[in-house]
Amino acid sequence: MGVGIIGLGKYLPKKVVTNDDISHLVDTDRTWIIERTGIEQRHIATTETGTDMACRAAEEALGDIDRNSIGLVLVATVTPDDMVPVTSAQVKRRLGLEHAVAFDVNAACSGFMYGMWTAEAIIKNGMVPGAATMEVKRALVIGVERLSRITNWEERSSCILFGDGAGAAVLEYSPEEPGILSTYLKNYDDHKGVLTCGKGYKAIPFWEDKEAYQHLSLRGKAVFKFAVNSIEEVTLAALEKAGLSLNDIDWFVPHQANLRIMDAAARRLNQPLEKFQISINKSANVSSASIPMALYDLQKTGKIRKGDKVAVMGFGGGLCAAAAIIQW
Ligand SMILES: CC(C)(COP(=O)(O)OP(=O)(O)OC[C@H]1O[C@@H](n2cnc3c(N)ncnc32)[C@H](O)[C@@H]1OP(=O)(O)O)[C@@H](O)C(=O)NCCC(=O)NCCS
């Protein structure tokens, strides 16, 4: 029995921040950023909240789909507007998804992949004859980020990398369609703290240590190496689970963190970069939102055809990584 993607949506904030704009904030230049990352610009939310962006992407993904048929809303984010209510609950209320159960998931830049895996499992579980759990036929999975709120705008090696935005997908139980063929997730322990972000809690008068930094902090080279290694590992594992080989894959849609990471992954997997969806140039790294946004771009540009096999690959803080093979 299959669970496939039947709708995709994307929202980018109106404000575009170019590399030149960033060079007015920190000691950098346009050429360095393009050559080292592939990023030409990013969108930054100046009036839109995370919930606004999530709702806009979700509305596009839903299109004419009956909103009463959505049984689950799952939002992946590391930058929720509020701790409570969670973003998924706010999306559910605003879009009038009367019959949906809503909760958020945080698996850093792999969040959308972990969300898709969870939604697929919940859908399939409810479809087993006599299942004790409730039936969910359709799920809305959203990745949304306002990374601009956790970016250290004074640190040139990281502030160039990130942007804001949202991507959404509607998953449906469709017994006749292959849909998601396999998923493989792996968590690696971040012993050295190469990718971290503090929290925004208030200082506690009884806590004995000093409060730590609040910004996103990364050790670029270490994260770069982890990304390339983990993409290879989880992609090969997901392919093996699906009984497929690399050459069976028509499109690779990796998390958009750095064009050089994608280039290195393509070489590791011995695949042409032309088979990789590249969206980083226009929207930078949008963490949980990167993958649904890139899937949207792949579909919108008309590259993907029915029956194509797509490998979707995520990696990020935690450290966590995931790959899924989807037949369109
Ligand atoms: C961050 C990243 C772009 C840095 O690229 P790099 O090639 O590794 O560059 P380095 O960190 O080695 O820095 C090289 C030099 O450029 C300088 N530099 C760093 N950022 C710069 C900038 N924005 N502009 C100009 N120079 C910069 C460094 O200070 C260093 O100078 P030095 O040699 O005088 O010390 C790259 O490591 C990366 O993308 N890593 C992955 C990060 C990521 O994606 N994280 C999220 C994953 S989900």
Side-chain angles (χ1 to χ4, degrees):
M1 64 188 173
V3 173
I5 294 177
I6 58 162
L8 285 163
K10 161 176 152 175
Y11 180 80
L12 286 169
K14 296 209 169 33
K15 182 163 181 66
V16 172
V17 173
T18 64
N19 292 343
D20 281 337
D21 293 332
I22 297 218
S23 71
H24 297 306
L25 298 175
V26 289
D27 180 16
T28 189
D29 64 82
R30 175 169 21 126
T31 323
W32 194 97
I33 301 174
I34 292 176
E35 282 175 2
R36 297 293 180 112
T37 68
I39 298 166
E40 294 162 21
Q41 61 171 53
R42 70 286 294 140
H43 291 248
I44 299 293
T46 51
T47 55
E48 304 94 335
T49 65
T51 306
D52 293 337
M53 296 192 288
C55 286
R56 296 289 288 273
E59 279 173 327
E60 187 177 5
L62 284 166
D64 295 333
I65 295 168
D66 175 12
R67 294 183 182 201
N68 283 327
S69 70
I70 302 297
L72 171 69
V73 184
L74 218 156
V75 169
T77 185
V78 300
T79 50
D81 292 333
D82 304 297
M83 302 272 268
V84 177
V86 290
T87 307
S88 52
Q90 301 198 41
V91 170
K92 174 198 173 321
R93 181 179 55 81
R94 226 195 267 181
L95 297 187
L97 304 173
E98 290 277 326
H99 303 293
V101 169
F103 62 95
D104 284 12
V105 53
N106 180 345
C109 300
S110 300
F112 180 81
M113 302 290 299
Y114 280 58
M116 197 164 69
W117 177 64
T118 308
E120 184 204 357
I122 289 172
I123 292 172
K124 282 190 170 165
N125 216 9
M127 290 301 160
V128 174
T133 187
M134 55 201 271
E135 197 176 282
V136 173
K137 271 194 165 167
R138 287 183 178 147
L140 178 61
V141 183
I142 304 171
V144 58
E145 301 293 0
R146 271 177 73 194
L147 293 180
S148 54
R149 292 195 306 165
I150 58 170
T151 298
N152 182 352
W153 289 103
E154 292 173 356
E155 190 184 82
R156 67 177 182 172
S157 58
S158 61
C159 74
I160 56 167
L161 297 171
F162 303 109
D164 300 335
V170 179
L171 266 59
E172 180 184 66
Y173 170 68
S174 38
E176 266 90 66
E177 300 287 336
I180 301 168
L181 302 177
S182 70
T183 303
Y184 187 87
L185 296 94
K186 181 159 179 176
N187 277 67
Y188 309 76
D189 295 332
D190 187 2
H191 292 294
K192 295 183 178 163
V194 298
L195 187 47
T196 59
C197 182
K199 64 274 171 257
Y201 295 137
K202 290 205 181 303
I204 308 166
F206 313 104
W207 186 248
E208 292 185 8
D209 280 342
K210 288 232 179 328
E211 286 293 304
Y213 54 82
Q214 307 288 320
H215 291 304
L216 201 153
S217 151
L218 66 94
R219 284 165 53 188
K221 274 204 195 312
V223 177
F224 194 111
K225 274 189 204 150
F226 154 71
V228 178
N229 289 335
S230 64
I231 286 177
E232 182 183 23
E233 184 178 354
V234 295
T235 305
L236 293 178
L239 280 168
E240 193 184 333
K241 274 186 76 157
L244 296 171
S245 68
L246 282 163
N247 291 335
D248 294 320
I249 298 300
D250 300 286
W251 301 104
F252 294 89
V253 181
H255 168 50
Q256 308 283 309
N258 187 322
L259 179 58
R260 289 191 299 132
I261 291 177
M262 293 187 259
D263 187 45
R267 278 188 273 114
R268 278 280 187 93
L269 299 173
N270 202 18
Q271 293 292 306
L273 192 57
E274 289 68 37
K275 281 170 78 172
F276 279 58
Q277 174 60 34
I278 311 288
S279 299
I280 190 167
N281 51 333
K282 298 293 177 212
S283 41
N285 178 349
V286 197
S287 191
S288 305
S290 278
I291 285 177
M293 280 170 29
L295 276 171
Y296 174 94
D297 292 344
L298 181 70
Q299 190 176 58
K300 197 77 179 168
T301 47
K303 290 190 219 161
I304 196 166
R305 287 163 200 274
K306 180 132 183 66
D308 278 1
K309 296 188 187 74
V310 184
V312 190
M313 308 105 111
F315 57 88
L319 299 159
C320 58
I325 312 296
I326 307 174
Q327 186 164 355
W328 225 249

